[in-house]
Amino acid sequence: MADTTIKVDTAVRDRLQELARERGITMRELVAQLAGATPTKEELAQRREETKAYIEQHFLDGPYTEEDAKAGEQLWADIVSGKAGEVR
């Protein structure tokens, strides 16, 4: 594998160096991990479609609708706020 240079300001370089040191890895390994863990827009879209297909197949009796999306968003908001499981 050929090496290349990425130009960043010194504050970013120092931050990357600190993060790598804390993890006990090289900066090269840290940058590789960050790049590998950050999905592209295309990868996110593919995950969304795969998740939607899974939900439709295993949890719904038909296609995933806007109503399903809103219900999911409300459930997540309730979980975050600690209201999940409360009787309304």
Side-chain angles (χ1 to χ4, degrees):
M1 172 182 357
D3 286 343
T4 190
T5 302
I6 300 172
K7 294 187 180 215
V8 296
D9 66 45
T10 55
V12 172
R13 182 210 54 211
D14 293 347
R15 173 79 175 168
L16 290 170
Q17 197 169 37
E18 180 181 354
L19 292 169
R21 191 178 312 115
E22 286 180 356
R23 290 166 174 75
I25 59 177
T26 66
M27 200 180 317
R28 173 194 297 234
E29 292 167 325
L30 176 68
V31 171
Q33 285 179 5
L34 292 172
T38 306
T40 64
K41 288 180 183 180
E42 184 178 317
E43 290 166 337
L44 288 172
Q46 181 179 354
R47 286 182 193 177
R48 182 184 183 283
E49 289 306 311
E50 290 169 355
T51 301
K52 181 180 166 187
Y54 185 89
I55 289 170
E56 289 173 344
Q57 181 180 359
H58 296 283
F59 298 106
L60 301 177
D61 292 328
Y64 184 81
T65 66
E66 275 298 311
E67 290 176 6
D68 296 318
K70 288 178 185 175
E73 289 171 6
Q74 184 60 56
L75 175 61
W76 184 251
D78 289 348
I79 290 169
V80 169
S81 69
K83 294 180 183 176
E86 287 185 3
V87 178
R88 294 185 194 198

